[in-house]
């Protein structure tokens, strides 16, 4: 069978790091080819070469038997290639229709025909089962909805080769099912699909074959996905065997440190009538619920990012000022947000700058000059401790993989000397199995120090695996609480699903 897409000895180097080193593999029409590897292994870099954002330093890309030299994303699109990147590419102030048809909007008498654009996109969205208003602005949509807009954009380009980079990382179960049906449909049409995911169950469900990357090199290609074991895939990716990935460590119960009492806000779904819970020192408290249940909104209230209309937060017996995040941080409450690109990182700043930005107020200033030596030492210490893959502390954080960006945000808060409550919203979204294992270890380490740790996760096995106790939310309210002994997938889902569904 002649390959539609071939990579031959592709190499790409950035200052201080070789992102790809002689990578070769091929993908065929009517098949889904999976790409696996740890964060920073080179997968996303390869897709940026495929999509025309980067040009390789060596090797070549062959499409339908002809070498290609894409100078831009426009060149790739013109050649029939569409790439849906993990870090979404959209214009927030434009509508769904405008984003989907950007660069090829229909015109009438020399002007953009917005009505025709909305009609075209409405029909395509309906055909793939996505319920979105084509006139809605992207800035008003959730991350999951923006992801579906990007998928619709790629489908409407009628591309022959479509690459997905962590497409379900922010999708609900229902939205993921829509994506899976779409992937099966595109494969049946004879498209060539490249699929990156850290969720192994997805890869087994969707992929015909796979290639595994490690440290910029191809480790292996498995021509039949169904014939390779999960253990083999993990060992190929991380270079070692992983036993219990969640690495759960039982800790003795301590006294309550954090009490959340009757929080109310217009930001909560359904105008919740007051939410209350507590966390003990040294406890990992998990939060689970379907997309839209109100988990992130509740944590933003706790952190002071959104305005409360009632209730209070008490830490170590003292009410926490509700004026904003600065007051919460001063009290020892910090938040790693779900959307690290928009809310977590300073994209144009260095790794060191991102680590030190908060703890500077604790005395890392010397006169009118920053004490660069102390900041450099602190950054280097956390780069080593968290095994952050970066050529040096001065690397711009936007050039790191998503998992390594997440580690930098964690380092920022772990550097806080007064840390008391660590809130992690989807801490392993889009992160490989090896990095997940490291982050779970850090979570248990922070809890063992006596801090309160709150973890929101849409991955039920994850939140069950790492939590001492689980709170489940549904439609803006707390629907139940499960001890570790009581918590299992059946019990958690029964609490998460709407009454008419779970009945």
């Amino acid at each position: 069978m002649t390959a539609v897409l071939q990579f031959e000895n592709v190499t790409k180097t950035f200052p201080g790091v070789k992102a790809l080193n002689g990578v070769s593999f091929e993908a065929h029409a009517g098949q889904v080819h999976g790409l696996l590897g740890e964060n920073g292994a080179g997968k996303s870099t390869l897709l940026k070469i495929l999509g025309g954002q980067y040009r390789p330093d060596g090797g070549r890309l062959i499409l339908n038997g002809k070498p290609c030299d894409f100078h831009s994303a426009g060149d790739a699109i013109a050649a029939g290639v569409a790439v849906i990147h993990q870090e979404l590419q959209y214009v927030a102030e434009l509508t769904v229709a405008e984003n989907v048809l950007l660069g090829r909007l229909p015109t009438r008498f020399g002007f953009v025909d917005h009505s025709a654009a909305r009609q075209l996109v409405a029909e395509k969205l309906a055909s793939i089962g996505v319920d979105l208003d084509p006139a809605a602005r992207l800035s008003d949509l959730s991350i999951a909805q923006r992801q579906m807009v990007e998928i619709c954009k790629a489908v409407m380009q009628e591309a022959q080769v479509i690459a997905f980079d962590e497409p379900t990382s922010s999708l609900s179960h229902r939205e993921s099912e829509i994506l899976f049906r779409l992937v099966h449909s595109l494969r049946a049409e004879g498209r060539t699909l490249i699929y990156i995911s850290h969720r192994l169950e997805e890869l087994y469900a969707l992929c015909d074959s796979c290639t595994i990357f490690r440290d910029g090199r191809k480790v292996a290609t498995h021509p039949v996905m169904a014939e390779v074991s999960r253990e083999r895939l993990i060992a190929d990716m991380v270079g070692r065997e992983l036993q219990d990935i969640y690495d759960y460590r039982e800790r003795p119960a301590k006294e309550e440190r954090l009490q959340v009492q009757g929080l109310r806000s217009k930001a909560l779904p359904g105008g919740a009538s007051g939410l209350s819970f507590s966390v003990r020192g040294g406890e990992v408290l998990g939060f689970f619920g379907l997309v839209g249940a109100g988990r992130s909104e509740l944590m933003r209230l706790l952190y002071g990012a959104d305005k409360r209309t009632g209730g209070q937060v008490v830490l170590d017996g003292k009410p926490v000022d509700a004026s904003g995040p600065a007051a919460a941080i001063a009290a020892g409450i910090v938040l790693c947000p779900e959307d690290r690109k928009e809310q977590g990182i300073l994209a144009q700043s260095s790794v060191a700058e991102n680590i030190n930005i908060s703890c500077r107020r604790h005395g890392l200033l010397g006169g009118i000059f920053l004490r660069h030596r102390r900041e450099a030492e602190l950054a280097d210490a956390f780069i080593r401790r968290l095994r952050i893959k970066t050529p040096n502390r001065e690397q711009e954080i936007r050039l790191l993989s998503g998992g390594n960006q997440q580690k930098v945000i964690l380092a920022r808060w772990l550097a806080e000397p007064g840390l008391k409550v660590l809130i992690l919203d989807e801490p392993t979204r889009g992160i490989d199995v090896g990095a997940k294992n490291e982050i779970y270890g850090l979570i248990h380490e922070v809890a063992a120090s006596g801090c309160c740790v709150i973890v929101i996760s849409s991955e039920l096995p994850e939140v069950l695996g790492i939590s001492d106790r689980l709170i489940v939310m549904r439609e803006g309210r707390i629907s139940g609480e499960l001890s570790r002994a009581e918590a299992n997938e059946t019990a958690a889902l029964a609490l998460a699903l709407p009454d008419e569904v779970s009945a």
Side-chain angles (χ1 to χ4, degrees), residues 308-332:
R308 305 172 198 159
T309 56
Q312 67 174 346
V313 175
V314 178
L315 181 58
D316 291 335
K318 299 179 181 178
V320 176
D321 186 345
S323 60
I329 294 169

PDB file of all heavy atoms in Angstrom, residues 308-332:
ATOM      1  N   ARG A 308     -18.148  37.088  44.861  1.00  0.00           N
ATOM      2  CA  ARG A 308     -19.161  36.349  45.613  1.00  0.00           C
ATOM      3  C   ARG A 308     -20.335  37.264  45.942  1.00  0.00           C
ATOM      4  O   ARG A 308     -20.172  38.463  46.142  1.00  0.00           O
ATOM      5  CB  ARG A 308     -18.585  35.845  46.945  1.00  0.00           C
ATOM      6  CG  ARG A 308     -17.328  35.023  46.825  1.00  0.00           C
ATOM      7  CD  ARG A 308     -16.752  34.750  48.219  1.00  0.00           C
ATOM      8  NE  ARG A 308     -15.361  34.351  48.158  1.00  0.00           N
ATOM      9  CZ  ARG A 308     -14.516  34.440  49.181  1.00  0.00           C
ATOM     10  NH1 ARG A 308     -14.931  34.911  50.334  1.00  0.00           N
ATOM     11  NH2 ARG A 308     -13.261  34.059  49.037  1.00  0.00           N
ATOM     12  N   THR A 309     -21.514  36.650  46.049  1.00  0.00           N
ATOM     13  CA  THR A 309     -22.678  37.381  46.532  1.00  0.00           C
ATOM     14  C   THR A 309     -23.073  36.922  47.940  1.00  0.00           C
ATOM     15  O   THR A 309     -24.025  37.446  48.520  1.00  0.00           O
ATOM     16  CB  THR A 309     -23.875  37.196  45.578  1.00  0.00           C
ATOM     17  OG1 THR A 309     -24.141  35.798  45.434  1.00  0.00           O
ATOM     18  CG2 THR A 309     -23.565  37.796  44.216  1.00  0.00           C
ATOM     19  N   GLY A 310     -22.355  35.948  48.468  1.00  0.00           N
ATOM     20  CA  GLY A 310     -22.620  35.467  49.816  1.00  0.00           C
ATOM     21  C   GLY A 310     -21.650  34.386  50.217  1.00  0.00           C
ATOM     22  O   GLY A 310     -20.948  33.811  49.379  1.00  0.00           O
ATOM     23  N   GLY A 311     -21.589  34.115  51.521  1.00  0.00           N
ATOM     24  CA  GLY A 311     -20.714  33.082  52.042  1.00  0.00           C
ATOM     25  C   GLY A 311     -19.323  33.591  52.359  1.00  0.00           C
ATOM     26  O   GLY A 311     -18.980  34.756  52.105  1.00  0.00           O
ATOM     27  N   GLN A 312     -18.499  32.699  52.940  1.00  0.00           N
ATOM     28  CA  GLN A 312     -17.138  33.082  53.280  1.00  0.00           C
ATOM     29  C   GLN A 312     -16.206  31.878  53.229  1.00  0.00           C
ATOM     30  O   GLN A 312     -16.638  30.715  53.215  1.00  0.00           O
ATOM     31  CB  GLN A 312     -17.080  33.727  54.665  1.00  0.00           C
ATOM     32  CG  GLN A 312     -17.400  32.775  55.815  1.00  0.00           C
ATOM     33  CD  GLN A 312     -17.182  33.420  57.175  1.00  0.00           C
ATOM     34  OE1 GLN A 312     -16.563  34.472  57.302  1.00  0.00           O
ATOM     35  NE2 GLN A 312     -17.691  32.776  58.224  1.00  0.00           N
ATOM     36  N   VAL A 313     -14.905  32.184  53.203  1.00  0.00           N
ATOM     37  CA  VAL A 313     -13.861  31.172  53.234  1.00  0.00           C
ATOM     38  C   VAL A 313     -13.055  31.407  54.503  1.00  0.00           C
ATOM     39  O   VAL A 313     -12.604  32.522  54.780  1.00  0.00           O
ATOM     40  CB  VAL A 313     -12.944  31.279  51.997  1.00  0.00           C
ATOM     41  CG1 VAL A 313     -11.789  30.290  52.102  1.00  0.00           C
ATOM     42  CG2 VAL A 313     -13.741  31.033  50.728  1.00  0.00           C
ATOM     43  N   VAL A 314     -12.883  30.330  55.284  1.00  0.00           N
ATOM     44  CA  VAL A 314     -12.144  30.420  56.543  1.00  0.00           C
ATOM     45  C   VAL A 314     -10.939  29.487  56.461  1.00  0.00           C
ATOM     46  O   VAL A 314     -11.082  28.299  56.159  1.00  0.00           O
ATOM     47  CB  VAL A 314     -13.035  30.036  57.745  1.00  0.00           C
ATOM     48  CG1 VAL A 314     -12.238  30.088  59.049  1.00  0.00           C
ATOM     49  CG2 VAL A 314     -14.249  30.954  57.812  1.00  0.00           C
ATOM     50  N   LEU A 315      -9.752  30.014  56.729  1.00  0.00           N
ATOM     51  CA  LEU A 315      -8.521  29.238  56.690  1.00  0.00           C
ATOM     52  C   LEU A 315      -7.796  29.360  58.015  1.00  0.00           C
ATOM     53  O   LEU A 315      -7.503  30.478  58.463  1.00  0.00           O
ATOM     54  CB  LEU A 315      -7.625  29.729  55.543  1.00  0.00           C
ATOM     55  CG  LEU A 315      -6.295  29.017  55.347  1.00  0.00           C
ATOM     56  CD1 LEU A 315      -6.492  27.518  55.106  1.00  0.00           C
ATOM     57  CD2 LEU A 315      -5.520  29.645  54.197  1.00  0.00           C
ATOM     58  N   ASP A 316      -7.546  28.213  58.639  1.00  0.00           N
ATOM     59  CA  ASP A 316      -6.891  28.184  59.952  1.00  0.00           C
ATOM     60  C   ASP A 316      -7.601  29.101  60.948  1.00  0.00           C
ATOM     61  O   ASP A 316      -6.971  29.823  61.734  1.00  0.00           O
ATOM     62  CB  ASP A 316      -5.418  28.575  59.838  1.00  0.00           C
ATOM     63  CG  ASP A 316      -4.603  27.521  59.103  1.00  0.00           C
ATOM     64  OD1 ASP A 316      -5.007  26.345  59.104  1.00  0.00           O
ATOM     65  OD2 ASP A 316      -3.563  27.871  58.506  1.00  0.00           O
ATOM     66  N   GLY A 317      -8.945  29.089  60.880  1.00  0.00           N
ATOM     67  CA  GLY A 317      -9.758  29.838  61.838  1.00  0.00           C
ATOM     68  C   GLY A 317      -9.943  31.301  61.535  1.00  0.00           C
ATOM     69  O   GLY A 317     -10.640  31.998  62.275  1.00  0.00           O
ATOM     70  N   LYS A 318      -9.370  31.795  60.422  1.00  0.00           N
ATOM     71  CA  LYS A 318      -9.476  33.219  60.086  1.00  0.00           C
ATOM     72  C   LYS A 318     -10.172  33.391  58.732  1.00  0.00           C
ATOM     73  O   LYS A 318      -9.808  32.718  57.770  1.00  0.00           O
ATOM     74  CB  LYS A 318      -8.092  33.857  60.031  1.00  0.00           C
ATOM     75  CG  LYS A 318      -7.328  33.800  61.349  1.00  0.00           C
ATOM     76  CD  LYS A 318      -5.948  34.427  61.194  1.00  0.00           C
ATOM     77  CE  LYS A 318      -5.157  34.356  62.498  1.00  0.00           C
ATOM     78  NZ  LYS A 318      -3.793  34.926  62.335  1.00  0.00           N
ATOM     79  N   PRO A 319     -11.161  34.300  58.651  1.00  0.00           N
ATOM     80  CA  PRO A 319     -11.803  34.569  57.363  1.00  0.00           C
ATOM     81  C   PRO A 319     -10.792  35.109  56.351  1.00  0.00           C
ATOM     82  O   PRO A 319      -9.909  35.895  56.697  1.00  0.00           O
ATOM     83  CB  PRO A 319     -12.866  35.627  57.699  1.00  0.00           C
ATOM     84  CG  PRO A 319     -13.094  35.477  59.166  1.00  0.00           C
ATOM     85  CD  PRO A 319     -11.781  35.069  59.750  1.00  0.00           C
ATOM     86  N   VAL A 320     -10.940  34.671  55.115  1.00  0.00           N
ATOM     87  CA  VAL A 320     -10.054  35.124  54.048  1.00  0.00           C
ATOM     88  C   VAL A 320     -10.705  36.288  53.320  1.00  0.00           C
ATOM     89  O   VAL A 320     -11.874  36.218  52.929  1.00  0.00           O
ATOM     90  CB  VAL A 320      -9.767  33.975  53.044  1.00  0.00           C
ATOM     91  CG1 VAL A 320      -8.916  34.464  51.868  1.00  0.00           C
ATOM     92  CG2 VAL A 320      -9.074  32.822  53.753  1.00  0.00           C
ATOM     93  N   ASP A 321      -9.958  37.362  53.156  1.00  0.00           N
ATOM     94  CA  ASP A 321     -10.427  38.541  52.430  1.00  0.00           C
ATOM     95  C   ASP A 321     -10.901  38.126  51.034  1.00  0.00           C
ATOM     96  O   ASP A 321     -10.185  37.433  50.308  1.00  0.00           O
ATOM     97  CB  ASP A 321      -9.260  39.533  52.325  1.00  0.00           C
ATOM     98  CG  ASP A 321      -9.672  40.868  51.707  1.00  0.00           C
ATOM     99  OD1 ASP A 321     -10.747  40.947  51.107  1.00  0.00           O
ATOM    100  OD2 ASP A 321      -8.888  41.833  51.822  1.00  0.00           O
ATOM    101  N   ALA A 322     -12.089  38.567  50.652  1.00  0.00           N
ATOM    102  CA  ALA A 322     -12.676  38.165  49.370  1.00  0.00           C
ATOM    103  C   ALA A 322     -12.432  39.180  48.266  1.00  0.00           C
ATOM    104  O   ALA A 322     -13.087  39.149  47.228  1.00  0.00           O
ATOM    105  CB  ALA A 322     -14.183  37.956  49.534  1.00  0.00           C
ATOM    106  N   SER A 323     -11.478  40.102  48.466  1.00  0.00           N
ATOM    107  CA  SER A 323     -11.303  41.197  47.508  1.00  0.00           C
ATOM    108  C   SER A 323     -10.694  40.773  46.179  1.00  0.00           C
ATOM    109  O   SER A 323     -10.805  41.484  45.188  1.00  0.00           O
ATOM    110  CB  SER A 323     -10.432  42.293  48.126  1.00  0.00           C
ATOM    111  OG  SER A 323      -9.153  41.784  48.484  1.00  0.00           O
ATOM    112  N   GLY A 324     -10.020  39.611  46.139  1.00  0.00           N
ATOM    113  CA  GLY A 324      -9.445  39.187  44.873  1.00  0.00           C
ATOM    114  C   GLY A 324      -8.329  38.182  45.054  1.00  0.00           C
ATOM    115  O   GLY A 324      -7.974  37.809  46.180  1.00  0.00           O
ATOM    116  N   PRO A 325      -7.734  37.707  43.934  1.00  0.00           N
ATOM    117  CA  PRO A 325      -6.667  36.705  44.008  1.00  0.00           C
ATOM    118  C   PRO A 325      -5.470  37.137  44.851  1.00  0.00           C
ATOM    119  O   PRO A 325      -4.861  36.299  45.522  1.00  0.00           O
ATOM    120  CB  PRO A 325      -6.271  36.508  42.545  1.00  0.00           C
ATOM    121  CG  PRO A 325      -7.499  36.851  41.772  1.00  0.00           C
ATOM    122  CD  PRO A 325      -8.130  37.967  42.536  1.00  0.00           C
ATOM    123  N   ALA A 326      -5.122  38.423  44.833  1.00  0.00           N
ATOM    124  CA  ALA A 326      -3.965  38.881  45.605  1.00  0.00           C
ATOM    125  C   ALA A 326      -4.166  38.606  47.096  1.00  0.00           C
ATOM    126  O   ALA A 326      -3.225  38.180  47.796  1.00  0.00           O
ATOM    127  CB  ALA A 326      -3.720  40.367  45.370  1.00  0.00           C
ATOM    128  N   ALA A 327      -5.387  38.826  47.569  1.00  0.00           N
ATOM    129  CA  ALA A 327      -5.686  38.565  48.982  1.00  0.00           C
ATOM    130  C   ALA A 327      -5.639  37.070  49.274  1.00  0.00           C
ATOM    131  O   ALA A 327      -5.149  36.641  50.332  1.00  0.00           O
ATOM    132  CB  ALA A 327      -7.056  39.133  49.335  1.00  0.00           C
ATOM    133  N   ALA A 328      -6.138  36.251  48.334  1.00  0.00           N
ATOM    134  CA  ALA A 328      -6.107  34.794  48.524  1.00  0.00           C
ATOM    135  C   ALA A 328      -4.671  34.296  48.559  1.00  0.00           C
ATOM    136  O   ALA A 328      -4.302  33.476  49.417  1.00  0.00           O
ATOM    137  CB  ALA A 328      -6.878  34.110  47.401  1.00  0.00           C
ATOM    138  N   ILE A 329      -3.837  34.783  47.650  1.00  0.00           N
ATOM    139  CA  ILE A 329      -2.432  34.359  47.616  1.00  0.00           C
ATOM    140  C   ILE A 329      -1.733  34.772  48.903  1.00  0.00           C
ATOM    141  O   ILE A 329      -0.956  34.000  49.484  1.00  0.00           O
ATOM    142  CB  ILE A 329      -1.723  34.962  46.382  1.00  0.00           C
ATOM    143  CG1 ILE A 329      -2.310  34.366  45.093  1.00  0.00           C
ATOM    144  CG2 ILE A 329      -0.218  34.697  46.436  1.00  0.00           C
ATOM    145  CD1 ILE A 329      -1.856  35.079  43.833  1.00  0.00           C
ATOM    146  N   ALA A 330      -2.013  35.984  49.361  1.00  0.00           N
ATOM    147  CA  ALA A 330      -1.399  36.452  50.613  1.00  0.00           C
ATOM    148  C   ALA A 330      -1.807  35.568  51.790  1.00  0.00           C
ATOM    149  O   ALA A 330      -1.019  35.372  52.734  1.00  0.00           O
ATOM    150  CB  ALA A 330      -1.797  37.903  50.877  1.00  0.00           C
ATOM    151  N   ALA A 331      -3.020  35.008  51.731  1.00  0.00           N
ATOM    152  CA  ALA A 331      -3.495  34.124  52.800  1.00  0.00           C
ATOM    153  C   ALA A 331      -2.951  32.708  52.655  1.00  0.00           C
ATOM    154  O   ALA A 331      -3.093  31.892  53.574  1.00  0.00           O
ATOM    155  CB  ALA A 331      -5.018  34.096  52.813  1.00  0.00           C
ATOM    156  N   GLY A 332      -2.358  32.384  51.498  1.00  0.00           N
ATOM    157  CA  GLY A 332      -1.793  31.053  51.287  1.00  0.00           C
ATOM    158  C   GLY A 332      -2.606  30.160  50.379  1.00  0.00           C
ATOM    159  O   GLY A 332      -2.364  28.952  50.305  1.00  0.00           O
TER     160      GLY A 332
END
